[in-house]
């Protein structure tokens, strides 16, 4: 049963961690290391069943492989789950125990914080494992990547006079609003925390609308920067934009909805929001922020490639982007120079404190 899921998702390796002393029950799912060591979030969640935890790990790890490959990164995809309530069960000893399982993988899995864990938790894991992503905020780079994706989708070099509706103005959305206003775009914002939207609107000269109106507000671009499942069968008829490109993951409730968007250009979420991951790779390589910025700007080139592949309507932009990722993986496999081979040592990253 477990092997069926592993094979169906093309997963390389699953590690189950158990430490009765700290109560740790965790798993690390390494989906693919063809392009490089795998990077993935450490998610802590009180999964109602082990089967649900495993299913989440398989799904999340595969999504990371596709995202890294499509963005042109030399990273594989993975995910790690700690079964438990972060508010009740998270202790330093439990994180260290999970860190020891991560360390046993010799650098094949690089953790970053996710739902239920923080950068401080990654620092704790970093006491026993390396490398880990435990510094720097990727949000400004995610926002910059979204900006470049929007320009590419509209086929313009600046956004003066373009109207963008930003749903959710947290870490990514608020920064995106600043970048858009700097290019004289007209910006409309909404957030379930109305005061947050009001503050961002006031600071940047944007217009605030109620949360329930943002999807149906006439605009050139809808930028979902809140949660996933924005486009559903129910919301689709209300959309009044030409382009969808934002920071949120899983914007389409089902990938097949990409076929039903009509004239709306959809930039696949994993392409539009790859800027943060690009930044993490640059950090791991010890490069400076300027280099990360330069690479994130190339998100626009990937968007242009994907739109060109989907231009005749035979494939959706989601299918085109996935094909791009798979082609990169296949080329590396055929060349026989995948990262994980016995004669290729684990690369040492600048974040490895044990050097
Ligand atoms: P965040 O929690 O800082 O911001 C999300 C904002 O959306 C919050 O202000 C929240 O109040 C608001 N919100 C939630 N539901 C809403 C709704 N229905 N309508 C309007 N507003 C709503 O998160 P973030 O770091 O800005 O990330 C935003 C999204 O982008 C998330 O889905 C995240 O998974 C994804 N993402 C983020 C990064 C990154 O670098 N932070 C990278 C890739 C993907």
């Amino acid at each position: 049963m477990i092997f069926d899921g592993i094979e169906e998702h093309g997963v390389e390796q699953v590690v189950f961690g158990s430490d009765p002393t700290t109560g740790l029950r965790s798993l690390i799912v390494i989906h693919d290391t063809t392009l490089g060591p795998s990077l993935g979030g450490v998610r802590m969640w009180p999964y109602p069943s082990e089967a649900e935890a495993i299913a989440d790990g398989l799904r999340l790890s595969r999504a990371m492989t596709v995202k890294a490959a499509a963005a042109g990164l030399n990273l594989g995809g993975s995910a790690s789950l700690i079964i438990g309530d972060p508010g009740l069960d998270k202790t330093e000893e439990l994180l260290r125990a999970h860190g020891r399982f991560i360390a046993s993988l010799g650098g094949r899995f690089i953790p970053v914080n996710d739902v239920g864990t923080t950068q401080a938790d990654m620092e704790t894991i970093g006491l026993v494992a390396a490398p880990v992503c435990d510094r720097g905020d990727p949000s400004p780079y995610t926002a910059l990547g979204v900006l470049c994706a929007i320009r590419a989708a509209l086929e313009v070099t600046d956004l003066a006079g373009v109207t963008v509706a930003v749903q959710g103005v947290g870490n990514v959305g608020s920064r995106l609003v600043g970048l858009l206003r700097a290019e004289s775009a007209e910006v409309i914002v909404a957030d379930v925390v109305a005061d947050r939207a009001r503050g961002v609107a006031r600071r940047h000269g944007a217009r605030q609308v109620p949360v329930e109106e943002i999807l149906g507000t006439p605009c050139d671009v809808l930028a979902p920067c809140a949660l996933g499942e924005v486009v559903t069968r129910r919301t689709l008829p209300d959309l009044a934009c030409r382009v969808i490109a934002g920071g949120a993951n899983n914007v389409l409730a089902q990938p097949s909805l990409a076929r039903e968007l009509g004239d709306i250009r959809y930039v696949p979420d994993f392409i539009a929001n790859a800027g943060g991951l690009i930044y993490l790779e640059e950090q791991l390589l010890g490069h400076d922020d300027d280099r990360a910025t330069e690479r994130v700007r190339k998100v626009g080139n990937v968007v242009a490639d994907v739109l060109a592949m989907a231009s005749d309507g035979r494939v959706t932009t989601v299918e085109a982007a996935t094909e791009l990722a798979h082609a990169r993986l296949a080329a590396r496999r055929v060349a026989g120079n995948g990262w994980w081979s016995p004669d290729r040592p684990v690369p040492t990253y600048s974040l490895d404190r044990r050097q």
Side-chain angles (χ1 to χ4, degrees):
M1 165 96 176
I2 290 178
F3 274 101
D4 287 348
I6 290 173
E7 282 159 20
E8 189 195 320
H9 284 79
V11 161
E12 275 180 25
Q13 184 182 17
V14 181
V15 175
F16 290 89
S18 162
D19 182 53
T21 313
T22 60
L24 176 77
R25 282 177 151 204
S26 65
L27 57 150
I28 300 164
V29 184
I30 298 184
H31 179 261
D32 194 295
T33 58
T34 302
L35 297 172
S38 70
L39 190 143
V42 178
R43 181 168 289 197
M44 185 161 185
W45 193 252
Y47 288 96
S49 70
E50 288 164 20
E52 279 167 81
I54 294 169
D56 212 20
L58 296 176
R59 186 181 59 80
L60 290 168
S61 64
R62 181 157 77 172
M64 282 300 283
T65 296
V66 173
K67 181 168 178 167
L73 303 181
N74 288 318
L75 289 171
S78 50
S80 164
L81 309 169
I82 300 175
I83 302 175
D85 183 332
L88 298 174
D89 306 323
K90 194 161 61 182
T91 61
E92 179 177 339
E93 287 312 315
L94 178 131
L95 291 171
R96 279 174 176 259
H98 187 55
R100 284 192 288 276
F101 287 115
I102 294 172
S104 75
L105 292 165
R108 273 164 60 70
F109 169 62
I110 303 172
V112 63
N113 56 300
D114 195 278
V115 176
T117 60
T118 62
Q119 240 176 41
D121 295 336
M122 295 309 108
E123 280 179 34
T124 303
I125 288 174
L127 297 173
V128 292
V132 302
C133 298
D134 64 355
R135 65 191 74 161
D137 176 9
S139 308
Y141 297 88
T142 304
L144 177 63
V146 173
L147 181 88
C148 296
I150 291 173
R151 284 203 209 114
L154 290 170
E155 300 179 56
V156 297
T157 48
D158 85 88
L159 296 168
V162 167
T163 304
V164 185
V166 181
Q167 182 196 38
V169 285
N171 291 319
V172 176
S174 63
R175 288 184 169 91
L176 177 63
V177 173
L179 294 171
L180 290 165
R181 290 295 297 140
E183 292 198 7
S184 303
E186 302 292 324
V187 181
I188 303 160
V189 296
D191 197 295
V192 283
V193 183
D195 282 349
R196 192 173 294 157
R198 195 167 304 122
V200 169
R202 204 170 286 155
R203 202 160 51 247
H204 296 290
R207 179 161 68 88
Q208 184 187 4
V209 297
V211 169
E212 49 290 356
E213 284 178 23
I214 192 82
L215 297 184
T217 299
C219 59
D220 297 299
V221 182
L222 172 65
C225 295
L227 303 177
E229 308 211 351
V230 173
V231 180
T232 64
R233 290 246 143 68
R234 195 176 54 77
T235 60
L236 187 54
D238 295 337
L239 299 181
C241 57
R242 292 195 285 139
V243 164
I244 301 174
N249 290 312
N250 305 319
V251 166
L252 304 181
Q254 299 108 32
S256 59
L257 284 168
R259 290 228 160 268
E260 298 173 33
L261 290 171
D263 292 336
I264 300 175
R265 276 189 166 181
Y266 175 64
V267 180
D269 41 29
F270 59 89
I271 301 281
N273 71 18
L277 188 57
I278 295 169
Y279 165 72
L280 291 178
E281 185 185 56
E282 287 296 314
Q283 261 211 331
L284 287 163
L285 293 167
H287 296 154
D288 61 25
D289 291 354
D290 288 346
R291 206 185 125 141
T293 302
E294 202 181 302
R295 273 190 72 198
V296 172
R297 287 189 188 283
K298 297 195 173 123
V299 164
N301 299 352
V302 182
V303 173
D305 287 347
V306 166
L307 292 175
M309 284 168 78
S311 61
D312 63 7
R314 274 189 300 132
V315 291
T316 66
T317 53
V318 178
E319 288 161 347
T322 308
E323 201 178 303
L324 198 76
H326 286 161
R328 234 189 120 222
L329 286 160
R332 185 69 64 87
R333 285 192 195 110
V334 168
N337 60 350
W339 171 75
W340 187 247
S341 62
D343 55 343
R344 196 172 290 233
V346 174
T348 45
Y349 286 115
S350 60
L351 296 188
D352 188 339
R353 295 215 201 89
R354 297 178 306 184
Q355 283 174 59

